[in-house]
Amino acid sequence: MKYSILFLFLLFSFCNFEVTAQNKPIVVENADNFDVDELQMPDAVLLTGNVLVRHEGATLRCNKAYFFKKENYIKAFGDVVLNQGDTLHLNSDYAEYAGNLKQAFATGNPILRSPEFTLTTDTINFDRNIQQAYYKNYGKIVNKETTLTSKSGRYFANEKKFRFLTAVTVTNPKVVIKSNHLDYYSNSGHSYLLGASTVTSKEDFIYTEKGFYDTKKNIAHFLRKSYIKYKDRKIDGDSLYYDKNREFASASHYVKITDTINKGVVRGHYAELYKAKDSMFVTRKAVAVSLMENDSVYIHGTRLMLTGKPENRIIRAFKNARFFKSDMNGKCDSIHSSTKVGLTKLIGRPVIWNKKNQVTGDVIHLIADLETEKIDSLKVLNNAFIISKDTIGTGYNQVKGLNLYGKFKDDKLHDVTLVKNTEILYFMRDDKDELIGINKSVSSKINLILEDSKIETITQYDRPEGQMYPEKELPENARRLRGFIWREDEMIKNKDDVFPEDELKWDEIARKYREKAEKSSDKPIAVRKETSEYDKNVKKGK
């Protein structure tokens, strides 16, 4: 049955003014032709040519549409454009819109556009009540230089946010992000990650299970089971900050930095790394662990600085510096160690213990063989002093001089020469370890040969002066050379002993931080103020 154009005009004029108690009707503003065919499409009006309808702030344009007045429903065909204000536009070949539900469905090459992004997929649903659009099949989102692909996704128009709960890939010129749970803000480019996620670039690789990434500035913050991996270095920490443009990273709580080539490790509870400069700063129970000939060397300082590539690396330990090796340990105010020349300087009231021998002086140099990486020799500059306990009694064997030069054999001090104003006090014993006497003398130079940390031979040069005293004839107050200080209570007994007691507090602080973080491990990072106020700050020029 066909109706006249005049009748249809009057019909839709009436529709324009009809308002129900709950739902406003769809308003037809324009169509070149209005037709009713009860046989082909009962209860529907066929609109063709430049169709334009409105509904509560939204407009729909198309070439052809069926309008179901009773259901307040429309089916649109050909060049369909659904606009919500001037910010959200949905284009497709076919669309349906339910006025009572305020829900739209679009298929046939649908494209959802805003000033920030373009979404293409095979089907898009849009719920205007909650201002959300979603798709359940493969979709592609282009946001300026960033592209996102995912099997499914949901867009929150009020927040300008996409949420992906299936495999999503974010690609921009610098990084590729992959995750199964990601919130992406189209205006700011901010990404919030939850669950196993990776960030990959040509230069590095990042793994996290909870994090934030700014795809515009390439700045990130990772919180759970996270690490950053460079070509020759891996950084672990409970909290990681990352700035790709500056090639900078910082880490807090249970920090571990691994040299993947030389297998060295640096630990602490706070670290800063500058990749371009090959440098790092570590503090809060900091320790550097280096592998040397099947043994590990532990170096601690209140602050550690490592600079340079592995073949030319310099390690600096500041304030209350300590080191431990199975056959040697020591402490001082600061340590400066260079891998290029194999020189380690102990500065500021240094002391080392090599087996049973204590060595002190104003400055101590340990020199390593660059080929074997074993400690080869020793220099003590100014006020050199060697002390070891007598094997049987309570006395101390002592040798002192201005400077000391020593050679190691099998990691033990073997050949020692002291020069200028040298003195010696030594408990001489026979093969049965019975005391022969106490040798106390001075000379210009002394050479000692040690075997198994015991003095085997003593050679004094240039008219030595002194004598052998029977034990009873040398009083106790004369059995210690000037400058004698026995520092056994400061000895570093094991690798854990390199940490002073006041450094142990950082373990407890890190433990509490981790426990608190674990309680919210299944929740994304709270949305940052810089994300929620991004548009406001852009308008202000921030």
Side-chain angles (χ1 to χ4, degrees), residues 16 44 52 54 58 71 97 133 157 162 185 214 227 241 301 306 327 336 342 367 371 382 384 438 458 462 466 501:
N16 286 347
L52 170 62
R54 292 186 183 274
E71 291 83 6
Y97 180 75
F162 280 95
Y185 290 79
D214 185 333
Y227 64 81
Y241 173 81
L306 290 82
D327 47 32
H336 183 286
I367 301 99
E371 292 185 4
N382 296 322
I438 303 172
I458 302 172
D462 297 336
E501 189 173 347

Side-chain angles (χ1 to χ4, degrees), residues 322-330 353 487-499:
R322 304 177 177 202
F323 76 93
F324 173 81
K325 193 171 178 285
S326 62
D327 47 32
M328 184 183 294
N329 63 89
W353 291 272
R487 299 168 64 179
E488 184 180 33
D489 59 336
E490 300 178 52
M491 188 179 294
I492 314 300
K493 298 178 178 63
N494 54 59
K495 62 183 178 65
D496 296 321
D497 207 25
V498 297
F499 302 111

Side-chain angles (χ1 to χ4, degrees), residues 409-439:
K409 182 180 178 181
D410 298 327
D411 293 323
K412 298 173 185 175
L413 198 56
H414 174 68
D415 190 327
V416 178
T417 299
L418 294 97
V419 297
K420 294 185 180 179
N421 304 319
T422 61
E423 299 179 51
I424 186 167
L425 189 150
Y426 183 71
F427 289 75
M428 302 289 290
R429 295 184 179 276
D430 60 20
D431 294 340
K432 296 180 181 180
D433 282 333
E434 293 181 356
L435 184 63
I436 299 171
I438 303 172
N439 177 10

Side-chain angles (χ1 to χ4, degrees), residues 50-70:
N50 299 310
V51 178
L52 170 62
V53 301
R54 292 186 183 274
H55 187 254
E56 295 191 33
T59 64
L60 186 147
R61 298 176 186 271
C62 61
N63 297 331
K64 172 185 172 181
Y66 286 105
F67 175 49
F68 300 85
K69 176 178 175 294
K70 290 181 181 179

Side-chain angles (χ1 to χ4, degrees), residues 151-184:
K151 182 179 178 182
S152 63
R154 182 176 291 268
Y155 178 68
F156 299 76
N158 292 334
E159 301 168 63
K160 297 184 178 180
K161 176 182 75 174
F162 280 95
R163 171 165 290 171
F164 307 95
L165 298 179
T166 55
V168 57
T169 300
V170 183
T171 306
N172 73 14
K174 291 193 175 181
V175 297
V176 176
I177 303 172
K178 292 187 177 182
S179 179
N180 285 323
H181 186 155
L182 182 146
D183 287 354
Y184 178 82

Side-chain angles (χ1 to χ4, degrees), residues 110-129:
I111 302 174
L112 182 66
R113 293 179 293 109
S114 82
E116 294 89 19
F117 71 87
T118 300
L119 163 64
T120 56
T121 182
D122 65 356
T123 302
I124 296 176
N125 292 275
F126 181 47
D127 189 333
R128 296 185 62 214
N129 294 292

Side-chain angles (χ1 to χ4, degrees), residues 129-398:
N129 294 292
I130 56 176
Q131 289 296 294
Q132 292 182 19
Y134 62 92
Y135 61 93
K136 294 183 178 180
N137 293 315
Y138 175 86
K140 179 179 179 181
I141 300 156
V142 178
N143 179 211
K144 294 182 180 179
E145 292 186 331
T146 300
T147 301
L148 299 89
T149 57
S150 175
K151 182 179 178 182
S152 63
R154 182 176 291 268
Y155 178 68
F156 299 76
N158 292 334
E159 301 168 63
K160 297 184 178 180
K161 176 182 75 174
F162 280 95
R163 171 165 290 171
F164 307 95
L165 298 179
T166 55
V168 57
T169 300
V170 183
T171 306
N172 73 14
K174 291 193 175 181
V175 297
V176 176
I177 303 172
K178 292 187 177 182
S179 179
N180 285 323
H181 186 155
L182 182 146
D183 287 354
Y184 178 82
Y185 290 79
S186 59
N187 55 346
S188 62
H190 294 173
S191 297
Y192 292 81
L193 309 163
L194 185 65
S197 308
T198 61
V199 182
T200 308
S201 70
K202 293 179 181 179
E203 299 82 14
D204 42 57
F205 173 86
I206 298 169
Y207 175 86
T208 185
E209 294 186 5
K210 189 174 185 178
F212 163 85
Y213 198 100
D214 185 333
T215 59
K216 291 184 178 180
K217 296 180 179 179
N218 283 292
I219 293 173
H221 185 203
F222 307 111
L223 291 179
R224 176 174 164 78
K225 296 183 179 179
S226 307
Y227 64 81
I228 301 171
K229 193 172 183 181
Y230 299 139
K231 290 181 180 178
D232 60 350
R233 198 169 292 169
K234 182 185 175 191
I235 308 159
D236 294 86
D238 280 12
S239 176
L240 297 178
Y241 173 81
Y242 173 76
D243 186 335
K244 184 171 182 59
N245 297 327
R246 293 168 55 208
E247 294 191 311
F248 169 82
S250 66
S252 301
H253 309 300
Y254 297 107
V255 178
K256 180 181 177 183
I257 303 159
T258 306
D259 185 332
T260 54
I261 295 176
N262 297 290
K263 299 181 180 178
V265 175
V266 180
R267 292 189 178 92
H269 289 298
Y270 181 75
E272 295 180 357
L273 295 94
Y274 297 84
K275 182 183 174 186
K277 297 179 181 179
D278 258 305
S279 67
M280 71 177 79
F281 165 82
V282 188
T283 187
R284 299 178 186 174
K285 203 185 176 193
V287 62
V289 185
S290 302
L291 187 65
M292 291 181 65
E293 192 62 26
N294 300 321
D295 196 2
S296 294
V297 181
Y298 298 80
I299 298 177
H300 164 76
T302 304
R303 299 174 183 174
L304 287 181
M305 288 185 67
L306 290 82
T307 57
K309 296 187 181 296
E311 66 276 7
N312 189 21
R313 183 157 294 162
I314 293 175
I315 300 175
R316 298 178 179 91
F318 300 99
K319 292 187 179 180
N320 207 355
R322 304 177 177 202
F323 76 93
F324 173 81
K325 193 171 178 285
S326 62
D327 47 32
M328 184 183 294
N329 63 89
K331 61 184 295 187
C332 56
D333 289 338
S334 63
I335 295 174
H336 183 286
S337 181
S338 170
T339 58
K340 183 176 182 179
V341 296
L343 174 62
T344 299
K345 299 178 183 178
L346 281 63
I347 304 166
R349 204 168 174 267
V351 56
I352 64 171
W353 291 272
N354 179 235
K355 296 299 182 179
K356 299 177 182 179
N357 297 302
Q358 173 185 292
V359 181
T360 58
D362 289 357
V363 177
I364 296 178
H365 289 180
L366 294 169
I367 301 99
D369 185 309
L370 296 178
E371 292 185 4
T372 65
E373 295 185 344
K374 289 184 177 181
I375 295 178
D376 175 74
S377 56
L378 165 74
K379 288 182 182 179
V380 181
L381 307 177
N382 296 322
N383 300 312
F385 210 128
I386 300 180
I387 305 172
S388 64
K389 280 187 175 181
D390 179 33
T391 53
I392 303 296
T394 58
Y396 297 88
N397 296 315
Q398 305 154 56

